[in-house]
Amino acid sequence: QVHLVESGGGLVQAGGSLRLSCAASGLTFSTYAMGWFRQAPGKEREFVGFIRRDGAMTYYADSVKGRFTISRDNAKNTVYLQMSSLKPEDTADYFCAADQRISNIRTPRGPDYWGQGTQVTVSS
């Protein structure tokens, strides 16, 4: 059974940084692209970014480009989301997702597997 478990969320002041982790089990991690999504209260889940299975390619939503960085450690079955220069509008529940096809990892309706989410609150 596949499990994705996010951690690292919390409360941070605007301009600060936070690093989220997502530990995967039950799948061959190195064969999956990994994505991050977020959902703010009352809003739809939105794509944040993804990383290719080998870690050699990343792609980000315009809203986070230059501030967020996704990395992965295939030896540890873990993907990371480093968030910097955080803004109050980054406040949301953050979810990691896994799919073997990049075409699926870029849309909230696509990924096969999801974590339960971790909450990030950015105070002004």
Side-chain angles (χ1 to χ4, degrees):
Q1 190 172 2
V2 175
H3 290 285
L4 302 177
V5 181
E6 301 93 337
S7 61
L11 173 64
V12 63
Q13 288 188 333
S17 298
L18 210 56
R19 189 177 83 154
L20 306 183
S21 300
C22 171
S25 61
L27 50 71
T28 305
F29 185 72
S30 62
T31 68
Y32 281 78
M34 298 298 296
W36 285 95
F37 294 78
R38 67 185 181 184
Q39 188 166 16
K43 294 189 177 181
E44 293 186 353
R45 191 169 297 188
E46 66 174 1
F47 170 77
V48 172
F50 79 84
I51 186 167
R52 203 170 68 182
R53 61 186 71 180
D54 60 2
M57 174 189 171
T58 55
Y59 181 85
Y60 302 94
D62 287 343
S63 58
V64 306
K65 200 173 296 181
R67 300 188 298 120
F68 290 11
T69 301
I70 299 173
S71 61
R72 65 190 293 161
D73 186 337
N74 284 351
K76 296 182 178 180
N77 287 4
T78 301
V79 62
Y80 305 97
L81 178 65
Q82 177 68 48
M83 304 184 292
S84 303
S85 302
L86 282 161
K87 305 174 182 180
E89 51 263 44
D90 294 318
T91 294
D93 291 328
Y94 283 73
F95 301 86
C96 68
D99 200 284
Q100 291 187 307
R101 290 174 290 182
I102 287 181
S103 59
N104 285 351
I105 207 71
R106 294 179 58 173
T107 170
R109 296 179 181 83
D112 285 337
Y113 304 109
W114 290 90
Q116 84 290 346
T118 186
Q119 188 174 55
V120 172
T121 303
V122 184
S123 64
S124 57

